């Protein structure tokens, strides 16, 4: 008999995972993804913007620099506190709120634009999260997403970790959001004029070992995978991460340059019901 996947329990574990390590250090590296997405979303000054699964506020802060009225929502208070400190340092009026991407506490059509950068893709219930994104966006508004692709470097990172610590049976991979067909399926008739472009963000490190140590210490999913393994098996995962970096390295100067593909999707909210 197959046991149904407990998505509530999965989400609770995810909250602990993303609060571990120092995701802010990872977010600081990938901030350019948010800047580019906000540029492509073509936000207007004064627009009401919601950044879903904001983390430490990359997309929220980028939108605030455009003069938008921005709210960032995430279910990890520790990350929101980091985002608040960043916004205050730049004197940007961003509102950070604790909340669930699958149950956004806003009325229908409350925002002119809804964004998420490698955030909402981790919600366990893909359909519910997608429905919430479009529900709180007004008709004619913008939905803009950036998600790691299945075939890209981060997709391979997840598969590498998963060979050592398998994800819960039945849980759909978050990188499905990086597949154009899947995003069109998730957003469905609730959006139109969806433009999807594959882009690359480049991770740069001194050595493959430096990459492995950085992700082991800072990136919650990797850190928790190491913690889940018996002590004697942890060197195997570390070695696989080092080899992963070597395999994907495109630098010719002795350092590490790893292109990581992601899907940028920008669409217009229609007046059709979800």
């Amino acid at each position: 008999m197959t046991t149904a996947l407990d998505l509530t329990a999965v989400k609770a574990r995810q909250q602990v995972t993303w609060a571990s390590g120092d995701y802010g250090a990872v977010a600081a590296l990938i901030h350019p993804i948010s800047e580019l997405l906000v540029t492509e979303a073509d936000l207007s000054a004064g627009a009401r913007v919601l950044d879903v699964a904001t983390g430490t506020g990359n997309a929220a802060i980028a939108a605030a620099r455009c003069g938008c009225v921005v709210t960032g929502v995430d279910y990890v208070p520790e990350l929101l506190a980091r985002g608040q400190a960043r916004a205050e340092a730049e004197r940007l009026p961003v509102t950070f709120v604790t909340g669930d991407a699958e149950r956004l506490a806003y009325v229908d059509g409350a925002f002119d634009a809804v964004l998420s950068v490698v955030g909402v893709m981790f919600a366990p219930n893909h359909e519910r999260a997608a429905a919430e994104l479009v529900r709180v966006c007004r008709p004619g508004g913008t939905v803009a997403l950036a998600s790691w692709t299945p075939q890209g470097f981060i997709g391979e990172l997840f598969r590498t970790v998963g060979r050592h610590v398998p994800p819960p049976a039945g849980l759909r991979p978050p990188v499905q959001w990086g597949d154009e067909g899947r995003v069109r399926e998730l957003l469905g008739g609730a959006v139109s004029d969806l433009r999807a472009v594959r882009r690359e963000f480049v991770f740069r490190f001194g050595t493959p070992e430096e990459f492995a140590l950085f992700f082991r210490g800072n990136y919650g999913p990797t850190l928790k995978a190491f913690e889940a393994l018996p002590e004697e098996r942890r060197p195997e995962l570390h070695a696989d991460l080092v080899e992963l970096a070597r395999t994907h390295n495109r630098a010719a100067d002795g350092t590490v340059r790893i292109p990581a593909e992601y899907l940028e999707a920008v669409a217009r909210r229609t007046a059709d019901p979800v």
Side-chain angles (χ1 to χ4, degrees):
M1 180 178 178
T2 302
T3 303
L5 181 63
D6 185 347
L7 294 182
T8 301
V10 169
K11 191 178 300 182
R13 289 195 296 271
Q14 285 181 333
Q15 286 178 285
V16 173
T17 295
W18 292 113
S20 66
D22 183 3
Y23 183 71
V26 180
L29 293 183
I30 64 173
H31 189 88
I33 297 175
S34 295
E35 294 286 352
L36 184 55
L37 183 71
V38 165
T39 297
E40 292 301 315
D42 194 22
L43 305 175
S44 299
R48 303 161 300 163
V49 176
L50 180 67
D51 180 19
V52 180
T54 186
T56 57
N58 278 357
I61 289 171
R65 292 197 190 108
C66 297
C68 299
V69 180
V70 185
T71 300
V73 61
D74 201 285
Y75 63 4
V76 182
E78 294 88 344
L79 299 182
L80 292 172
R82 183 79 163 265
Q84 185 68 59
R86 293 177 62 204
E88 289 175 357
E90 294 195 38
R91 299 183 180 180
L92 295 171
V94 180
T95 301
F96 288 95
V97 179
T98 302
D100 185 345
E102 296 176 3
R103 291 179 174 82
L104 296 172
Y106 304 100
V107 299
D108 297 359
F111 297 93
D112 300 302
V114 179
L115 318 175
S116 189
V117 175
V118 298
V120 74
M121 63 182 287
F122 292 98
N125 190 326
H126 293 190
E127 285 78 12
R128 186 178 185 99
E132 284 293 272
L133 292 178
V134 296
R135 181 185 67 77
V136 300
C137 185
R138 67 166 175 81
T142 300
V143 176
L145 310 171
S147 310
W148 302 119
T149 65
Q151 65 273 16
F153 175 72
I154 298 299
E156 185 59 36
L157 171 68
F158 290 151
R159 286 189 290 274
T160 298
V161 172
R163 287 194 289 270
H164 293 265
V165 182
L171 183 66
R172 284 176 296 187
V175 290
Q176 285 187 355
W177 285 78
D179 177 85
E180 180 179 346
R182 177 60 172 156
V183 170
R184 290 185 181 277
E185 179 182 85
L186 285 169
L187 299 180
V191 301
S192 63
D193 304 324
L194 191 153
R195 307 186 312 277
V197 179
R198 290 186 181 183
R199 300 193 186 277
E200 286 184 345
F201 172 80
V202 179
F203 288 100
R204 302 174 192 272
F205 294 92
T207 65
E209 290 78 9
E210 182 183 321
F211 157 79
L213 289 172
F214 179 86
F215 271 79
R216 177 175 181 169
N218 295 300
Y219 195 53
T222 318
L223 183 153
K224 286 299 182 182
F226 275 99
E227 290 182 355
L229 288 171
E231 189 72 36
E232 64 273 14
R233 290 185 54 200
R234 294 176 187 177
E236 298 174 15
L237 176 54
H238 180 83
D240 280 355
L241 292 179
V242 171
E243 183 58 29
L244 178 69
R246 286 184 179 138
T247 300
H248 287 263
N249 186 19
R250 298 295 179 266
D253 60 358
T255 66
V256 172
R257 178 183 181 277
I258 302 173
E261 186 183 69
Y262 67 94
L263 184 76
E264 178 187 271
V266 180
R268 181 175 63 84
R269 173 72 164 93
T270 70
D272 298 330
V274 180

